Amino acid sequence: MADTPPGSPLPSSPASTAPSVGEAPRMPLRRLGWRRFLVLAGVVLFIAACAVFMVFTLGQSLGAQALLIGVAAAILPVPVLVACFLWLDRYEPEPLKYLVFCFAWGAFVSTAASLTVNDFAASRFDDWGLPSALTGVLVAPFVEELTKALGPILLLVFRRREWSGITDGLVYCGLSAVGFAMVENILYLGGLGYASGADRYGPATGIQQVISIFILRILLFGFAHPLFTSMTGIGLGIAARTADRRVRVLAPIAGLLLAMMLHGTWNLLPTLTQVTGEALIMLYGFLGLMVPVFFGTVGLAVWLRAWEGRLTERTLPDYVRAGWLSPPEVAALSSLGRRHAARSWARRVAGDAGVRAMRGYQSAATRLALLRDGTLRGLDRKPADQERTAREERELLDTISAYRSFFVGRDPQAPTGVWDGSRYHLRFPDGTQRSVDAPDEPVVPIPVVLAPAPPPVGYAPPGWPGLRPAAPWPPGHP
């Protein structure tokens, strides 16, 4: 390390000009034009109409009392399942409006369409003298998986930039399936459970049947619908992060077909068990097929969650070399534990405003990593998309800089430092200043002041020719 004479000036710390508490910056909001407003209003009205249809249909079929009991029992597992998918999506949480859209789509639109088609198919099978159980094997898997996936597919088509990969596919499709399963469980718990038991033997028997169905259908097999639809989510996630048009088409189709086959096989097991009287068919099918697929999908989801965290380590070093970020900041984004440690540090040095700013900084940095990854993958081929990517990149960099101003240079226990894209320039308590190379493993999540960095110019294809090398240390400074 090269010592420098005491008293040499360094750029002033942003702490002196940091914004006051309550002025935390926000991500730029997309303007709501009249076309987008009409589309949004149309979607809301459509989902609301399907919800009214389902409430009316279930109320007529079950009765008010059975409907209320079915709703109360079916809602119980929903918070647990939703929490699992939100846990999976912690690195780059999706907008709440899209999560609600997928859940509502599965709960009302998919169930309304599936109920109508399944009832029609059951009546046709009955007219032809065929058992109605064929509906669950030949019709239900296809219409239910298609309609559950249609909501996430619409998101992929019209909001592809909100997809970070397979993780988002699992989250969007999983929430759609949870909504579908909730309404379907109302039908089973309220109809086959309470209504049928109360009509025959009284309310006590109805409650007993509700408990039995709850244990069998929800506690033991409650993962079924999310598991089936997650196959489609994997296909949609692959399509969202590839530049190959063939993969964009074939991956969702393959995922959807796999979901239909799993669903159809699952519905076939109880039918074969009932026809043959062999209970082992259901047991073998559950242990031999569903359990391995379930644990395999969970393992994939956990691995993908960690992969999304490591994405920042692979893409953000480009911004470190350009002087926009420092090595410790990138290292502090690579795991949830390090992100939590960074938020705790921000709270210590800047209070609640620092925590809010650190959360916003982490979210914006993750979005920047995903944007850079999409650039490297060649996802934007049209000039308009490339210009939009460059504009969004600049907005994210400006937002990150604004968030950093809340906590950078505030820590009295850390030396004042500046990162110029290649080396640290630190001032120590004794007044000396030294230039220090970045360590091989930068794990301390303490941001430092950044020397002025050149903005990204235009679209940045692989190799980043649009970014100039890091600006040299300002004249007059060691």
Side-chain angles (χ1 to χ4, degrees), residues 163-171 233-238 241 300 304:
W163 285 67
S164 62
I166 300 177
T167 301
D168 286 359
L170 292 174
V171 171
I234 293 173
L236 293 176
I238 293 174
R241 303 302 289 181
L300 174 64
L304 288 170

Side-chain angles (χ1 to χ4, degrees), residues 212-299:
S212 299
I213 294 177
F214 185 89
I215 293 174
L216 182 64
R217 181 172 179 83
I218 295 179
L219 295 186
L220 294 181
F221 307 133
F223 64 88
H225 274 291
L227 179 63
F228 303 147
T229 315
S230 66
M231 302 297 109
T232 307
I234 293 173
L236 293 176
I238 293 174
R241 303 302 289 181
T242 181
D244 192 323
R245 294 184 178 179
R246 294 169 297 180
V247 176
R248 286 186 179 183
V249 175
L250 295 178
I253 293 176
L256 182 60
L257 291 177
L258 182 57
M260 292 175 176
M261 289 188 291
L262 278 176
H263 196 160
T265 303
W266 178 249
N267 288 353
L268 179 63
L269 294 176
T271 302
L272 292 178
T273 300
Q274 184 177 9
V275 171
T276 62
E278 295 289 341
L280 291 178
I281 293 178
M282 188 68 187
L283 179 62
Y284 290 156
F286 177 71
L287 296 178
L289 177 63
M290 304 308 295
V291 170
V293 173
F294 172 76
F295 283 106
T297 305
V298 170

Side-chain angles (χ1 to χ4, degrees), residues 320 325-333 338 361 419 424 438-439 442-448:
V320 172
L325 298 171
S326 66
E329 292 176 292
V330 174
L333 293 166
R338 292 181 177 182
Y361 160 79
W419 170 258
Y424 291 106
V443 297
V444 181
I446 299 177
V448 296

Side-chain angles (χ1 to χ4, degrees), residues 69 189 193-199 201-211:
I69 292 176
L189 293 166
Y194 182 80
S196 62
D199 290 344
Y201 306 107
T205 302
I207 295 298
Q208 290 178 353
Q209 291 190 182
V210 168
I211 295 174

Side-chain angles (χ1 to χ4, degrees), residues 375-429:
T375 299
L376 295 175
R377 293 174 181 269
L379 299 184
D380 298 320
R381 295 188 174 184
K382 298 179 180 178
D385 292 336
Q386 295 174 2
E387 293 176 2
R388 182 179 178 183
T389 295
R391 183 172 62 254
E392 184 176 350
E393 179 189 48
R394 181 65 209 212
E395 290 174 352
L396 286 169
L397 289 170
D398 290 341
T399 302
I400 288 172
S401 298
Y403 279 127
R404 292 180 82 257
S405 66
F406 267 75
F407 43 76
V408 67
R410 289 183 181 268
D411 192 353
Q413 301 178 12
T416 303
V418 174
W419 170 258
D420 67 358
S422 59
R423 306 189 79 193
Y424 291 106
H425 300 267
L426 304 178
R427 174 184 290 168
F428 290 88

